[in-house]
């Protein structure tokens, strides 16, 4: 099993979610987070437009999904096709346990 973590600079969550549903990836966790990347955020005009402020951190969107190893390339392709700006991180999951049923492994996802 793999954990796919996506940090998006723009709200492409729905397009990615719909693409993942088509291949049977149903479980996603989506969060609105704040962070800093390579590119500075948009300038904000304060004090009736006389001052310009560049915020340190900008709004971003984070998607987490646990997937089967075999779907890695397909999932990454869908994210790349439907996302405009961001990063994809892939991590190995050693164990998954369903609290309600006690099932372990890929049956939990």
């Amino acid at each position: 099993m793999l954990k796919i973590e996506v940090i998006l600079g723009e709200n492409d969550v729905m397009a990615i979610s719909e693409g993942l549903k088509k291949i049977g990836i149903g479980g996603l966790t989506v969060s609105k987070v704040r962070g800093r990347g390579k590119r500075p955020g948009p300038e904000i005009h304060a004090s009736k437009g006389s001052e310009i402020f560049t915020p340190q951190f900008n709004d971003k969107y984070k998607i987490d999904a646990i997937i089967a190893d075999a779907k890695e390339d397909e999932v990454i392709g869908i994210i790349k096709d439907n996302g405009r700006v961001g990063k994809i991180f892939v991590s190995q999951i050693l164990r998954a346990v369903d609290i309600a049923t006690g099932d372990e492994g890929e049956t939990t996802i």
Side-chain angles (χ1 to χ4, degrees):
M1 290 179 298
L2 300 171
K3 178 180 180 181
I4 303 289
E5 183 177 340
V6 185
I7 306 293
L8 299 167
E10 298 180 20
N11 191 353
D12 299 321
V13 172
M14 288 309 295
I16 291 170
S17 175
E18 292 302 316
L20 294 176
K21 277 185 195 176
K22 291 178 183 174
I23 64 163
I25 305 294
L28 298 178
T29 302
V30 178
S31 307
K32 189 172 183 180
V33 296
R34 293 184 56 79
R36 179 181 68 219
K38 289 180 184 176
R39 290 187 250 158
E43 295 177 339
I44 297 172
H45 296 274
S47 299
K48 299 179 185 176
S50 62
E51 289 184 41
I52 296 176
F53 171 71
T54 303
Q56 181 74 14
F57 300 103
N58 302 310
D59 288 340
K60 299 190 180 295
Y61 298 86
K62 180 179 175 186
I63 301 173
D64 290 310
I66 308 299
I67 63 168
D69 292 349
K71 293 197 176 197
E72 178 182 6
D73 291 333
E74 194 173 12
V75 167
I76 289 173
I78 288 170
I79 295 167
K80 286 169 61 177
D81 291 344
N82 292 290
R84 292 172 279 179
V85 177
K87 300 282 189 284
I88 303 168
F89 302 97
V90 181
S91 306
Q92 195 73 26
I93 297 295
L94 300 177
R95 186 175 181 193
V97 179
D98 187 316
I99 295 171
T101 64
D103 289 344
E104 293 197 29
E106 286 193 10
T107 58
T108 64
I109 57 173

